[in-house]
Amino acid sequence: MFEPVSTEDWVAKINVDLKGADFNKKLVWRTNEGFNVQPFYRRSDVKDLPHMGTLPGQFPYVRGTKDSNNWLIRQQAEGCDPAEINREALHILDRGVDSLGIKLGRDITAADLETIFSGIDLAKTEVNISCCMGRAVEIARMFVAFLKEKGVAPDFKGSIDFNPFKRLLRHGVDFPRDIREEAVAMYEAVKDVPGMACFAVDSCMLNNAGAYITQELGYALAWGAEWMTMLTEAGIDACDAARRIKFNMGISSNYFMEVAKFRAARMLWAEIVKAYGAADECCKMKVHAVTSQFNQTIYDAHVNLLRSMTETMSAALAGVDSIETLPFDLQYKKPDEFSERIARNQQLLLREESHLDKVVDPAGGSYYIETLTASIAKVAWELFNKVEDEGGFYALLKKGEIQRSVNESGVKRHTDVARRKEILLGTNQYPNFNEKALDKIEKEGCSCHCGCGQEEPVDGAVDYLVFDRAASQFEQLRLDTEKSGRRPKVFMLTIGNLAMRLARAQFSSNFFGCAGYEIIDNIGFKTVGEGIDAAMEKGADVVVLCSSDDEYAEYAPEAFKLLDGRAMFVVAGAPACMDDLKAIGIEDFIHVRVNVLDTLIKFNAKLLN
């Protein structure tokens, strides 16, 4: 009924609406992932993508490896002893969990396994074990013997997290034994249990250190390829090797890109495994997804629920095998029954009530997500090839180059958070002014007695990952305010243009609220003198002048003179007369281009001492 409209016609119409503004600068999103995102996509953008002709379950598995979109809900069963772990495991299994995560201590025995798994149907429950690397092979043998004794070895599904690269990533020191020999021994230990994966690609560590999406994926692929090379060179069949590798990947809050990341991951991993001579069926990627810790916050912690919910949705829609949604209070205490129940229920809502498990590859055909999948795959593949050309994942780990690269991304993201280019709701934007967190923080270390809780490197270590959450510096700033025992008062001197003074008062309130200061807002004053008098009556430590740029030339000098050093004086904005105002001694201006964190650190230094 309608004449077709070309992409050029749409762009021409948009340019008219832009009134001369540059299309690329205004509407094209320059991502940190290494590619640009257009404001709209059309069928022509996806018609030449090679994966468009495939179906779910078909190589290279971009649309999924299964004939349904069902995933397993995982939760950690924790406890101080085997009996407590068992009680916790039975408790969460009874409440909807079908995949257990269990951490075994260094002193675990065969008798302990009997206690831990008492009453658990190991033929129907996925079990994923993490343990100290020093005993990983021994524990694997012990667990396999236990499964055989129970007669469930053929039906068992799960994993043992064998990750000797963790020491280099976390501590900057190499695994003390030959990794290839240990890997072969691990394979021999588990080979009689077909459903047990054991070679871990824990790229969630990179995610938690601040890696960008394409960075996490590129390094994860190189990590997996390192396992494939190591195992096949040791004489293990490529199919057998691939089936034993499991990817434990993080999920950031970048909703659509995370959907595309997992689709791209399956596609690229299938091509890698195929290159080792494996059959198509062996090229299916095993993926467990974990919500991010990098963006979790201590202040306004319930916002963590919003972040983890969208992250969980991304992974579910992308067709991963299992998901762990982390409790919202994980960063400041040992999660309690309430927070663990909410974390479980987030997935149960998506699976049992929203029925996200009923549609395979729901993103299939979306011009945007199909293009994102190809774009992420391209950048990640380039990074993968770069790692391979420079000697492979393990070689670069030993040089510290991967750790440095991820840490650089983490620093960049912290800078973006400090400048509010990356928003953490409740932390660097729209904070709860009156919230306190000092009393709710509990510090707990590792309890497995294997030294894995140690964060500092030893002498001679190369670079190691810095697990510094995006909110940590803002949180420290606010905790410093709490610890000081005094709460500086910030008074909004609102005057002049109604729209501008209200907007700038809101901006300034959010700005200083990030440090936990007491905010005193106002609807407006008729004169500057009236505003200064009110500020002094309230005992203000900081007076923020909120008006329009045109009016600052008149109001700012008068307010500064009347205040006469009795409180710090701030102008909200960057008016054209800024240089003139600086010339009379006004030093502090807050606006969208300043570094919020650095500015507030300076205010803390002056106000809290």
Side-chain angles (χ1 to χ4, degrees), residues 166-309:
K166 183 184 292 186
R167 287 170 60 89
L168 276 165
L169 286 164
R170 187 175 289 276
H171 307 302
V173 292
D174 204 355
F175 188 66
R177 298 194 287 274
D178 186 283
I179 292 181
R180 181 182 295 185
E181 289 182 7
E182 287 286 302
V184 171
M186 176 61 76
Y187 173 77
E188 291 296 327
V190 304
K191 68 179 182 180
D192 292 336
V193 184
M196 183 178 290
C198 55
F199 302 113
V201 176
D202 290 327
S203 66
C204 53
M205 296 175 66
L206 310 181
N207 174 283
N208 288 332
Y212 291 116
I213 285 173
T214 49
Q215 198 173 32
E216 181 195 358
L217 178 53
Y219 287 139
L221 294 170
W223 193 337
E226 187 72 45
W227 278 128
M228 288 296 297
T229 299
M230 199 173 285
L231 296 168
T232 53
E233 287 183 352
I236 297 171
D237 178 76
C239 269
D240 291 340
R243 288 193 177 111
R244 303 292 177 174
I245 297 173
K246 188 165 191 174
F247 288 77
N248 301 304
M249 304 184 75
I251 326 166
S252 75
S253 292
N254 200 328
Y255 184 74
F256 292 111
M257 281 203 188
E258 285 293 346
V259 175
K261 179 188 80 176
F262 289 110
R263 300 169 90 245
R266 286 193 298 267
M267 178 172 64
L268 297 179
W269 178 244
E271 297 291 352
I272 290 171
V273 175
K274 187 76 170 176
Y276 285 87
D280 286 1
E281 184 64 23
C282 304
C283 299
K284 294 179 178 180
M285 189 184 210
K286 290 186 178 75
V287 186
H288 170 64
V290 188
T291 56
S292 180
Q293 295 189 56
F294 183 77
N295 59 17
Q296 284 196 329
T297 62
I298 294 174
Y299 286 94
D300 219 346
H302 288 95
V303 180
N304 293 331
L305 291 168
L306 303 179
R307 300 183 184 105
S308 62
M309 193 64 171

Side-chain angles (χ1 to χ4, degrees), residues 239-386:
C239 269
D240 291 340
R243 288 193 177 111
R244 303 292 177 174
I245 297 173
K246 188 165 191 174
F247 288 77
N248 301 304
M249 304 184 75
I251 326 166
S252 75
S253 292
N254 200 328
Y255 184 74
F256 292 111
M257 281 203 188
E258 285 293 346
V259 175
K261 179 188 80 176
F262 289 110
R263 300 169 90 245
R266 286 193 298 267
M267 178 172 64
L268 297 179
W269 178 244
E271 297 291 352
I272 290 171
V273 175
K274 187 76 170 176
Y276 285 87
D280 286 1
E281 184 64 23
C282 304
C283 299
K284 294 179 178 180
M285 189 184 210
K286 290 186 178 75
V287 186
H288 170 64
V290 188
T291 56
S292 180
Q293 295 189 56
F294 183 77
N295 59 17
Q296 284 196 329
T297 62
I298 294 174
Y299 286 94
D300 219 346
H302 288 95
V303 180
N304 293 331
L305 291 168
L306 303 179
R307 300 183 184 105
S308 62
M309 193 64 171
T310 60
E311 291 166 4
T312 303
M313 284 182 67
S314 294
L317 293 172
V320 302
D321 299 301
S322 59
I323 305 173
E324 181 179 4
T325 303
L326 298 177
F328 72 88
D329 55 358
L330 178 66
Q331 299 308 323
Y332 58 88
K333 61 180 290 191
K334 185 178 188 294
D336 56 25
E337 170 59 23
F338 173 75
S339 62
E340 289 185 343
R341 177 169 64 88
I342 293 296
R344 287 192 300 272
N345 287 352
Q346 286 178 267
Q347 292 198 55
L348 290 169
L349 281 168
L350 295 178
R351 192 171 72 179
E352 306 299 334
E353 297 190 28
S354 300
H355 305 299
L356 297 192
D357 61 326
K358 297 297 189 286
V359 181
V360 180
D361 192 32
S366 161
Y367 303 151
Y368 177 46
I369 295 179
E370 295 289 10
T371 307
L372 279 185
T373 300
S375 298
I376 288 172
K378 180 177 183 294
V379 177
W381 189 250
E382 289 171 355
L383 179 57
F384 164 75
N385 282 317
K386 180 176 181 291

Side-chain angles (χ1 to χ4, degrees), residues 379-398:
V379 177
W381 189 250
E382 289 171 355
L383 179 57
F384 164 75
N385 282 317
K386 180 176 181 291
V387 173
E388 294 300 294
D389 290 342
E390 294 179 7
F393 182 77
Y394 187 29
L396 293 192
L397 269 189
K398 288 190 285 187

